[in-house]
Amino acid sequence: MSDILETLQEIREINSCFPYTAPIKAWKEQGKKVIAFQCDYVPEEVIYAAGILPIRLTGDSGELGLEEANAYMYVNTCSFIRGCLELVLGKRYDFLNGFVSGATCDCSRRLADVWIHHRFTPFVHIFSVPRKITPWAYELYEAEVHDLQQKLEDFFKVEITNEALWEAVEVYNKRRELFKKLHELRKLDAPPISGAETLEVLNASSRMPPDQFNKVMERLVEEVSSRKRAVDGKFRLMINGSPLNNPEFVKAIEDLGGVVVIDELCTGIRYWWESVDPAPDPIKAICRRYLHNFPCPRMEPFEDRAQRALKIARDYRIDGVVTEMVRYCVPWTMEQPLQRMIFEEQGIPVLELDLEYGTAGTGPIRTRVQAFLEMLEARAVK
């Protein structure tokens, strides 16, 4: 596909300077603060309402050598977390003023421990997240959000007003609506944007101020909608699994004849899926959105995730699922047998790939993907 999107070129330019992108640098040059967050359950609106830019902490888009990180963490810590730490130790994130960690798995929690011990940033906060959706869980989550609000106000000497919270909600809701519009276009028989390109857009969304990203996103949606553009690919695929930021991994799948029309990732649709609904209290509204958003594998009950994933599979008419599991990603490896069973019971084949974070289309991965697509071809002939 040679039809290049002009707006996508702009997005690629932003991503090329990761992690200290030009928009973040411009924000810092105004004397403003930046906080990295780790986990979809950290409420960005609260940070943004404090006048601070929240960006997502990730490793690089490609696979890194992890020698430095391995000196601080066990090698059975997932390579996503060690990849993040490798960049921090390499002073790639030195522009940060703070870090908020979601205590959602042991690896994330250990990263926070190392961060606190070595004081990588002046401000560090660990944000606890319940594992069940119950009235008590809601109370716990709301208490955690209020605690984050208080800590931000005390440390940075700011006041987070209800007005500022609603303004932040409006900005982030707009971003979510724009992602929905883009993903609606991926339901078409011939999607006008590829899965790899979509991941590039998702990466950029957490590497610049959200209001600025919304303007870029509006132009992208308009350009994609108005162009006669079609992505080649015989089989419609979903990607799910561990955190994924490497478009080259997705491109390798699409180069072999698949077209990734949807994902089920914390760096994908689970990040933006639900919006904040109006309510008298902005904190309560924000809490409801984050706790009831498309759930992570660590959340119970499993049936909620399974039914949402199946609905997406039907809506996007997928032919198969590619599951990428970063080694030692405990939430995914524990849930995957159930997830696979649910899909296969509905006649949807699943390919499981055990890999390291940042892996692209290596020979073994390409071989397995090619075999999977050939199996889908054989099924289609019958």
Side-chain angles (χ1 to χ4, degrees):
M1 183 177 56
S2 60
D3 187 8
I4 298 173
L5 298 167
E6 293 181 9
T7 316
L8 187 62
Q9 292 296 93
E10 182 180 346
I11 286 169
R12 286 173 177 164
E13 182 68 24
I14 291 167
N15 285 333
S16 68
C17 300
F18 167 83
Y20 197 22
T21 64
I24 297 174
K25 186 176 181 180
W27 176 277
K28 288 282 292 186
E29 287 173 348
Q30 297 175 55
K32 298 180 180 180
K33 310 296 185 185
V34 178
I35 286 180
F37 68 92
Q38 194 275 310
C39 182
D40 283 352
Y41 286 94
V42 174
E44 290 179 82
E45 290 91 339
V46 177
I47 300 172
Y48 192 62
I52 301 168
L53 176 62
I55 66 166
R56 190 178 192 122
L57 183 78
T58 70
D60 211 336
S61 295
E63 192 170 359
L64 296 171
L66 302 175
E67 291 79 9
E68 290 292 323
N70 289 342
Y72 290 77
M73 288 183 153
Y74 288 115
V75 293
N76 63 352
T77 302
C78 78
S79 52
F80 167 66
I81 290 297
R82 284 184 289 141
C84 294
L85 180 58
E86 187 76 16
L87 294 183
V88 172
L89 292 169
K91 301 188 182 303
R92 299 280 301 281
Y93 277 107
D94 271 10
F95 59 89
L96 293 177
N97 302 101
F99 175 54
V100 178
S101 171
T104 45
C105 71
D106 285 344
C107 296
S108 297
R109 189 63 181 80
R110 298 292 75 79
L111 174 62
D113 289 342
V114 173
W115 202 294
I116 291 169
H117 181 76
H118 293 280
R119 299 180 181 178
F120 293 133
T121 55
F123 178 83
V124 187
H125 181 74
I126 298 171
F127 188 86
S128 294
V129 181
R131 295 192 62 205
K132 297 181 179 180
I133 308 300
T134 66
W136 287 356
Y138 184 83
E139 290 179 13
L140 170 62
Y141 188 84
E142 186 175 344
E144 286 293 317
V145 174
H146 277 295
D147 185 45
L148 172 61
Q149 178 183 2
Q150 189 66 55
K151 293 288 174 52
L152 290 169
E153 289 179 330
D154 291 346
F155 189 90
F156 292 101
K157 309 302 180 188
V158 297
E159 180 184 3
I160 301 175
T161 64
N162 284 354
E163 181 182 4
L165 285 167
W166 282 124
E167 288 175 358
V169 165
E170 183 178 359
V171 171
Y172 280 90
N173 273 355
K174 183 174 181 61
R175 185 169 73 174
R176 292 163 185 141
E177 288 302 318
L178 288 166
F179 269 122
K180 286 178 183 177
K181 289 180 179 179
L182 185 66
H183 280 66
E184 281 296 310
L185 296 170
R186 300 176 75 192
K187 290 181 179 179
L188 298 174
D189 290 340
I193 187 168
S194 72
E197 291 169 335
T198 303
L199 186 54
E200 292 182 74
V201 178
L202 284 158
N203 283 343
S205 71
S206 58
R207 298 172 179 175
M208 59 193 300
D211 55 342
Q212 185 177 344
F213 175 78
N214 287 347
K215 294 175 183 177
V216 176
M217 191 67 170
E218 284 177 330
R219 296 199 303 273
L220 177 66
V221 171
E222 174 61 29
E223 185 179 6
V224 172
S225 301
S226 61
R227 298 271 285 273
K228 292 181 179 179
R229 192 173 191 264
V231 176
D232 298 328
K234 188 167 185 180
F235 297 104
R236 302 172 65 86
L237 302 176
M238 171 194 284
I239 286 187
N240 66 0
S242 306
L244 177 65
N245 297 99
N246 189 358
E248 291 302 316
F249 173 81
V250 183
K251 186 176 185 299
I253 294 172
E254 295 183 316
D255 285 346
L256 292 171
V259 52
V260 176
V261 296
I262 193 62
D263 70 78
E264 194 261 289
L265 300 164
C266 68
T267 48
I269 68 166
R270 292 209 316 269
Y271 174 55
W272 58 262
W273 193 254
E274 303 285 349
S275 293
V276 177
D277 292 329
D281 183 342
I283 290 292
K284 289 184 180 297
I286 290 168
C287 289
R288 181 167 182 80
R289 182 268 168 193
Y290 278 87
L291 199 58
H292 293 271
N293 189 32
F294 201 121
C296 168
R298 71 185 293 279
M299 302 297 282
E300 296 181 8
F302 165 74
E303 290 73 20
D304 182 25
R305 268 182 51 73
Q307 292 308 310
R308 291 200 198 199
L310 282 176
K311 183 178 187 309
I312 289 170
R314 296 187 190 102
D315 289 347
Y316 285 82
R317 297 173 286 118
I318 67 168
D319 299 303
V321 177
V322 177
T323 301
E324 50 86 29
M325 293 181 292
V326 171
R327 262 169 225 133
Y328 313 119
C329 179
V330 174
W332 259 103
T333 51
M334 292 290 288
E335 186 194 72
Q336 181 54 22
L338 283 172
Q339 188 83 287
R340 178 178 188 135
M341 179 183 69
I342 292 293
F343 279 118
E344 290 184 341
E345 284 178 349
Q346 299 299 315
I348 302 172
V350 178
L351 170 64
E352 294 172 345
L353 298 174
D354 179 45
L355 41 76
E356 299 289 2
Y357 173 76
T359 297
T362 61
I365 288 176
R366 291 177 64 86
T367 299
R368 294 196 61 197
V369 171
Q370 184 66 57
F372 184 66
L373 295 177
E374 289 174 1
M375 181 270 291
L376 293 180
E377 178 77 43
R379 282 167 54 97
V381 171
K382 291 181 180 179

